[in-house]
Amino acid sequence: MESAREGFAAGTPGAPGDPFDASTDAAAVISEHGVVVGWTRGAETLLGHAAADVVGASAARLLVMPADPARLAGVVERCRAGNGWSGQIAVRHRDGGSLDLQLRVSAAFRIGDTECFLVSARAQRQPWTMGQSVLGGFLTRSPVGMAVMDTELRYIWLNDTLERFGGVPRDERLGKRLSEMLPGLQAEALEGLMRKVLATGVPVTDYEYVGWSWADPHRQRAYATSFFPLVAADDAVTGVCYMVQDVTERWNARQLLTMVNEAGTSIGTTLDVMRTAQELADFTVPRFADFVIVDLLEPVLSTEGHGAWLSDAGPAPARPAMRRAALRSVRDGTPEAVVQVGDAVDFLPPPHDTHLLIEGEPLLIPILDPADELWATRAPLRAARIREFGLHSVIFVPMRARNTVLGLTTFARSLNPVSFGTDDVLLARELVARAAVCVDNARRYTREHTAAITLQRSLLPPALTGGTALDVASSYRPADPSGGVGGDWFDVIPLSGARMALVVGDVVGHGITAAAGMGRLRTAVQTLAAMEMPPDDLLAHLDDLVLRLSDEEAVAGAAARSTFIGATCLYAVYDPVTRRCAMARAGHPPPVVVAPGGPAYFPEIPAGPPLGLGGMAFEATEIELPENSLFGLYTDGLIEGCDQDLERGMARLAKALSRSGEDLEALCTSAVRGLVPVPQSDDIALLLTRTHVLGADRVASWDVPPDPAAVGDLRARATRQIEAWGLGPELAVTTELIVSELVTNALRYAAPPIRLRLLRDARLTCEVGDASSTAPRLRHARSTDEGGRGLFLVAQLAHRWGSRYTAEGKIIWAELEIP
């Protein structure tokens, strides 16, 4: 057993103070009978008992309190089961004192035939106690401002940091309330929170607020404050303690970020350049500046050019041509402004020139001195306004977007006594950058929208007129109202003999691409209509054109596919003399007809294939239209509706147009408004006409016998008819000459029967029809033979002349202006 004792005594204590070092713990081995069989030097050091005095003796005599047999039996059973035990116990020191130890007992093990337990212990360390001087120094010198208020919210203690924050000496604060000392720090709100803490006993943490203090009366600062109750031993609340931190930098950073985010929703709400500039000025006053100016370059506002100076355009001008786009001031009427919105301006802060705009770097003048010689010399009126209204700090920020110079924004402070700083420059740059993108977007949109509208106006007829044959009203709505262009079109084309051609078409797609294709088709229709083609022949030629254009685009590749891939069309010709209307359609909905006093109906016209398919013929149909009939042409966007049912849409259209007695323009407007859902998914075109008849009193016709002697008689008849119509002797002479040449030419080269007809409409028309199919051309009229000289004379005398095919043959016609 001695060897065991020596082995335990051989241990060397480790370094003191290490909480994880068990080498300094007191250790002993105790047998199952409670006898000490081993004692370490750590135990000797801890309890003062030498090994020779303890080994072989009962361990019970080391306990301060008598052993508890039940507890001891439980510990032994636990350790015999292979588990250890730990707990607190009081042990007697050699000097008679008592020590509280943390005791650990290992699982049971055997030494020889004896069951033993390893017991280790260490003394409980006394908790660290803070001296009054240490506590006082901590509270006084803490970087956090602290104060104690009584139940009446009067100061009874505060540290140096809080005294420094408020700028009010400690002696002046003690015994007084916060609202009496610092009214600029939201004192009433803070005292309200303290009363809440006194009443509920619940702390309030991290309450942030801004305000002014005597320590920094010219700059608003932000603070974070926490309040908690002071509780006595009897749980009574005896006061409130609060702690304050200066969080101005954090607050400013968060506010700046908030401003930038809000700017994204407040600036650029419309695609209007001037409105966007004004939104920038409105947003920044008064939260950032007291006076804001936005000047934009002339090309930006006029949508011409790009607003930048290109390298091949020569040097930039020293004084750029700009225009005042926006103003805002904290003062009513912006009296600080020298130039008003819309006026020209070329001001740049002296001594800078256009390079300030080109380089794009902001210019900060933290202290603006109106007495500066450069300002007084180059901008005397502005210097006077600066003095008058106390503008003391300014930031000039060039407005640039996508490497494009747009203008200059000026931020100034007057009522706000704090000068702009470097952080303000960063914010101003960010705000202007965001606004610049919006201005550039608005500029580009305005330019493109103007181009689109110009294109659409150039493609659609500026004013429709049906002459004496038709009253005309129309409505056009593109699917994209912002772009204002689409692929639907309509037209009214005057033809010879007082006839009118009506056309409506629909190019596949929307926007500028469809509009460009529509323009090509509309031009082609006008050209073919001038050739006096029947409706079916005209559509056949138009189909050939679309096929050729499609082939050209296929050869050019996908990059050139910018016109159209297909279209539908309906072409009709109305004759006010015969009241007949011939029409043909290429995949287009049929027209709608409302006879006077009758129901609306849709004439049965062979549909024909859409333009661009090729290989299929078009068929023409002719119907009679009583006088004052309503004849309407439209595109499928008008009748598709929400249900996409064309038959139901046509029924709705028929019902909408059946209202009698309504003005044609009003009827057109009400029909579109009633039939078209909003928003619409397709372009819409509606062309309404009301037919008139050219009465017998305006038409004169004569059969021409196959005898050259009949020419003189017909000349005389024509002259008498002109006189009967009261058109004047000069027009009678011209008509006589034209009738003579046309009839003579027909007698020599045409096949009978021959007929002469005079029509008095907006112009006077002379027509000679025959049964032949050979039509003259203008170049034939310039030939040297006698017949050519006759047609050449007709071409010289007539306002315009030409020929057209009919079912009976051909007609040569000439129109004369009626004085």
Side-chain angles (χ1 to χ4, degrees), residues 494-520:
L495 303 177
S496 62
R499 297 170 306 137
M500 301 300 294
L502 305 172
V503 60
V504 64
D506 184 355
V507 174
V508 174
H510 310 293
I512 292 181
T513 299
M518 174 267 285
R520 301 178 77 171

Side-chain angles (χ1 to χ4, degrees), residues 30-55:
I30 301 175
S31 71
E32 58 184 326
H33 304 294
V35 177
V36 179
V37 297
W39 191 257
T40 65
R41 290 181 182 178
E44 183 177 340
T45 302
L46 180 62
L47 299 178
H49 297 285
D53 298 334
V54 177
V55 174

Side-chain angles (χ1 to χ4, degrees), residues 286-336:
R287 67 176 75 189
F288 179 68
D290 297 326
F291 178 49
V292 174
I293 300 171
V294 182
D295 295 329
L296 297 178
L297 295 174
E298 287 278 12
V300 176
L301 294 172
S302 63
T303 69
E304 297 176 0
H306 296 282
W309 297 280
L310 305 178
S311 57
D312 58 355
R319 313 293 290 182
M322 298 189 292
R323 195 164 293 276
R324 183 63 44 86
L327 281 175
R328 185 61 187 270
S329 171
V330 293
R331 299 176 175 89
D332 294 337
T334 60
E336 306 95 327

Side-chain angles (χ1 to χ4, degrees), residues 20 169 215 223 265 330 344 395 398 487 510 773 805:
F20 299 102
Y223 302 95
T265 59
V330 293
I395 302 175
H510 310 293
S773 59
Y805 293 101

